[in-house]
């Protein structure tokens, strides 16, 4: 149904004068997705500051059959938080709901609202000498609700898991306005279905997550960060196995970086430097965090890397000797997307396979891409520790963006068909949103799709929750 002036007036009253935006300049940031793939329209952006207001909004929109698009920090890659172009949907921003309701360091839990910026959640944990380990390049702007609704991954999945693994309970406003209060800070609770996991990864299509009970962890007293040069990804997989065994699974980060990506960073990102004396085809950025005995741990890992070098598994390694050097190592990894933008359009893939098969996948996928665009520049990097690769292809240096992007359907099909043959995932951590709806329909088993549609119909029979996304 269309949005009436009466409904708009009721929604404004529900949130008060500070709780909405209806001027074009104020609404503008909510109309375009992070990658500028989509541009929508809306007459109103609602910014409630408490759960009761969200409940009232959902009840009214459900009765009026008006679509609601929840948005967090708008840092997603798949257009999951952009309204439709016809202006028939309301945007619901949780940015004013940013209270940390409670922190229990002895129970290692925190209850935080969906609008909290991820860095704020990390800081609240650190204030009581605890760790919230979710870490992303956008952690200074992405919001907890967006991380929850997309089941975010990040750089510490290897040790701590994805967002689903870091949450004990949720508070969710259902499409009809009812509030599902599931914030119990319990690690054991077998009372019926696991409703918490139903909403994480649903991208706002089943309800609005307003708060979460997050797991906290002990902070590592000592963290060793190293940049390692090696000849190929297979040796990186072997090194990961060696270090997981050696440290008793204390490896928290294991990021794969090709020389092609490092060259882009060194060329386009100011204040960066080559981490090692010689060039290498591939690199690994790794971190290991442990409790005590800082110097002995550092010495032990340095010795283990030296042994790996003697056995020909790696070519060189540098351990960060200061926090500034650690930050430099991380800058080389985290600015790869920014550096890649300098060389023109790129076709991106967020895929995963088993860690053991990732080296072979890189070879086969590269061959497939070069059969379509022989001079396309492959920049494949990512979270080798959990099998998640950002397999990106930039346009040829002598090409133009428009011609290159016309190849996207063929390249995407080739890469995703290969992923399917590997039994992998064509969306490892970025979600489906609007961008990958057709891919989901193509690659997800029909029974799984039927179950998803049944859940959607049961919880949102009027289809108002983030219409046009995922399914």
């Amino acid at each position: 149904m269309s949005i009436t002036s009466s409904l708009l007036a009721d929604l404004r009253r529900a949130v008060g004068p500070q709780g909405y935006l209806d001027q074009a300049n104020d609404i503008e940031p909510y109309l375009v997705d992070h990658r500028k793939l989509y541009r929508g329209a809306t007459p109103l952006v609602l910014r409630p500051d408490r759960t009761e207001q969200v409940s009232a909004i959902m009840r009214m929109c459900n009765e009026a059959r008006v679509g609601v698009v929840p948005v967090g920090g708008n840092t997603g890659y798949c257009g999951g938080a952009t309204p439709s172009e016809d202006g028939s949907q309301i945007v619901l921003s949780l940015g004013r709901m940013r209270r940390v309701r409670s922190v229990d360091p002895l129970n290692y839990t925190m209850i935080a609202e969906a609008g909290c910026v991820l860095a704020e959640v990390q800081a609240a944990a650190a204030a009581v000498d605890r760790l919230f380990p979710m870490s992303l390049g956008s952690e200074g702007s992405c919001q907890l609700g967006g991380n929850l609704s997309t089941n975010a991954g990040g750089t510490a999945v290897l040790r701590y898991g994805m967002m689903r693994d870091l949450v004990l309970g949720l508070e969710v406003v259902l499409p009809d306005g009812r509030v599902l209060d599931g914030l119990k800070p319990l690690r054991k609770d077998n009372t019926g279905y696991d409703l918490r996991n139903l909403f994480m990864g649903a991208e706002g299509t089943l309800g609005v997550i307003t708060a979460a009970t997050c797991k906290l962890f002990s902070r590592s007293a000592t963290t060793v960060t190293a940049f390692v040069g090696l000849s190929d990804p297979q040796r990186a997989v072997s090194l990961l196995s060696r270090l997981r065994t050696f440290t008793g699974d204390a490896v928290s980060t294991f990021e794969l970086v090709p020389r092609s990506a490092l060259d882009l960073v060194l060329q386009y990102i100011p204040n960066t430097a080559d981490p090692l004396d010689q060039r290498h085809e591939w690199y690994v950025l790794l971190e290991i965090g442990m409790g005590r005995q800082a110097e002995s741990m550092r010495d032990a890992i340095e010795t283990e890397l030296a042994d790996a070098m003697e056995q020909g598994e790696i070519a060189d390694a540098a351990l960060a000797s200061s926090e500034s050097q650690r930050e430099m190592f991380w800058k080389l990894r985290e600015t790869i997307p920014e550096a890649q933008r300098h060389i023109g359009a790129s076709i991106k893939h967020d895929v995963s396979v088993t860690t053991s098969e990732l080296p072979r996948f890189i070879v086969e996928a590269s061959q497939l891409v070069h059969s379509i665009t022989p001079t396309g520049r492959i920049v494949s990097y990512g979270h080798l520790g959990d099998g998640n690769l950002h397999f990106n292809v930039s346009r040829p240096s002598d090409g133009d963006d428009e011609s290159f992007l016309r190849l996207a359907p063929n390249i995407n099909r080739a890469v995703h068909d290969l992923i399917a043959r590997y039994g992998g995932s064509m969306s490892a951590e970025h979600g489906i949103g609007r961008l990958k709806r057709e891919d989901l329909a193509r690659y997800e088993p029909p029974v799984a799709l039927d179950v998803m549609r049944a859940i959607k119909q049961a919880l949102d029979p009027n289809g108002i929750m983030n219409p046009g996304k995922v399914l």
Side-chain angles (χ1 to χ4, degrees):
M1 294 177 65
S2 61
I3 302 175
T4 65
S5 58
S6 174
L7 175 62
L8 292 175
D10 289 342
L11 291 170
R12 291 188 185 98
R13 278 193 294 270
V15 295
Q18 303 302 315
Y20 66 85
L21 305 171
D22 59 3
Q23 300 301 304
N25 289 342
D26 298 327
I27 290 175
E28 176 65 24
Y30 297 89
L31 303 182
V32 183
D33 70 294
H34 181 69
R35 291 174 61 190
K36 296 180 173 53
L37 298 176
Y38 305 102
R39 180 178 181 82
T42 184
L44 189 65
V45 174
L46 296 171
R47 303 181 68 240
D49 68 356
R50 55 188 182 275
T51 301
E52 293 78 9
Q53 291 182 348
V54 178
S55 175
I57 291 166
M58 295 313 305
R59 184 175 62 254
M60 285 186 279
C61 288
N62 190 56
E63 290 173 356
R65 308 295 197 267
V66 168
V68 177
V69 181
V71 61
N74 200 25
T75 61
Y77 276 20
C78 297
T82 306
S84 63
E85 291 85 349
D86 61 9
S88 65
Q89 300 165 1
I90 296 295
V91 172
L92 176 62
S93 168
L94 279 294
R96 293 176 69 212
M97 292 185 62
R98 57 193 307 170
R99 289 174 286 269
V100 174
R101 296 184 185 176
S102 66
V103 182
D104 186 345
L106 295 181
N107 193 49
Y108 285 74
T109 54
M110 172 198 303
I111 298 178
E113 293 183 339
C116 290
V117 173
L118 178 56
E120 296 172 344
V121 179
Q122 297 168 342
V128 294
D129 196 31
R130 296 293 182 261
L131 171 71
F132 185 65
M134 176 58 60
S135 182
L136 307 168
S138 60
E139 61 193 33
S141 57
C142 66
Q143 294 175 10
L144 183 62
N147 301 148
L148 294 161
S149 66
T150 58
N151 186 31
T155 59
V157 171
L158 172 61
R159 184 169 183 179
Y160 297 103
M162 295 183 71
M163 201 67 197
R164 277 198 182 100
D165 304 299
L166 303 178
V167 173
L168 294 171
L170 296 178
E171 177 185 87
V172 182
V173 178
L174 300 177
D176 61 7
R178 289 179 296 163
V179 179
L180 177 64
D181 183 356
L183 289 174
K184 290 180 181 178
L186 304 176
R187 283 170 172 77
K188 286 187 173 181
D189 183 9
N190 283 329
T191 50
Y193 298 144
D194 186 357
L195 301 180
R196 168 197 61 187
N197 277 333
L198 188 61
F199 296 95
M200 282 188 284
E203 302 185 46
T205 61
L206 300 179
V208 182
I209 298 172
T210 49
T213 302
C214 302
K215 294 180 186 178
L216 304 182
F217 296 82
S218 297
R219 300 176 72 192
S220 298
T222 303
T223 299
V224 175
T225 306
F227 220 99
V228 179
L230 29 72
S231 60
D232 57 72
Q234 186 59 57
R235 283 179 168 77
V237 171
S238 298
L239 177 64
L240 172 62
S241 179
R242 169 194 277 259
L243 292 176
R244 289 187 66 174
T245 301
F246 179 73
T247 64
D249 265 334
V251 181
S252 58
T253 296
F254 204 87
E255 298 288 297
L256 184 69
V257 178
R259 183 69 206 190
S260 59
L262 185 58
D263 281 340
L264 290 177
V265 171
L266 297 177
Q267 181 176 357
Y268 293 108
I269 305 301
N271 302 316
T272 55
D274 212 315
L276 302 173
D277 292 336
Q278 302 294 323
R279 290 173 60 92
H280 304 280
E281 288 299 308
W282 292 87
Y283 299 85
V284 164
L285 169 62
L286 66 90
E287 284 200 330
I288 300 169
M290 301 183 76
R292 291 172 291 181
Q293 300 176 321
E295 288 305 316
S296 61
M297 183 187 110
R298 179 184 171 87
D299 291 345
I301 292 172
E302 192 167 13
T303 299
E304 189 70 8
L305 290 174
D307 185 61
M309 195 180 308
E310 289 179 7
Q311 295 187 26
E313 295 177 18
I314 66 175
D316 197 3
L319 275 65
S321 58
S322 63
E323 181 60 24
S324 61
Q325 190 175 20
R326 175 185 178 272
E327 291 174 356
M328 173 57 72
F329 285 171
W330 271 105
K331 186 176 183 180
L332 295 175
R333 161 61 181 88
E334 291 184 336
T335 57
I336 292 174
E338 179 184 347
Q340 194 177 5
R341 285 194 288 271
H342 285 273
I343 60 172
S346 64
I347 299 169
K348 300 178 183 295
H349 306 96
D350 165 42
V351 298
S352 64
V353 297
T354 61
T355 300
S356 57
E357 291 186 313
L358 191 143
R360 186 162 60 93
F361 170 80
I362 292 174
V363 172
E364 290 192 41
S366 299
Q367 291 171 344
L368 281 173
V369 167
H370 282 148
S371 71
I372 299 170
T373 173
T375 55
R377 293 171 286 182
I378 294 173
V379 184
S380 57
Y381 65 95
H383 320 300
L384 182 142
D386 53 54
N388 177 195
L389 188 72
H390 300 303
F391 187 84
N392 298 344
V393 187
S394 288
R395 67 166 171 79
S397 57
D398 58 351
D400 64 273
D401 288 354
E402 185 176 353
S403 299
F404 174 67
L405 290 175
R406 283 199 289 268
L407 300 175
N410 291 338
I411 291 175
N412 290 339
R413 176 63 63 85
V415 171
H416 290 161
D417 281 356
L418 180 62
I419 277 290
R421 292 199 294 274
Y422 271 78
S425 171
M426 52 82 190
S427 183
E429 65 174 357
H430 290 161
I432 301 299
R434 182 172 168 181
L435 180 67
K436 297 182 179 180
R437 286 179 309 177
E438 286 72 24
D439 287 327
L440 183 69
R442 176 178 174 83
Y443 297 105
E444 193 71 6
V447 173
L449 290 170
D450 286 344
V451 172
M452 291 182 201
R453 294 188 183 105
I455 293 170
K456 172 72 170 174
Q457 177 62 29
L459 290 179
D460 183 22
N462 294 326
I464 69 163
M465 290 305 314
N466 211 6
K469 313 306 188 331
V470 184
L471 295 174

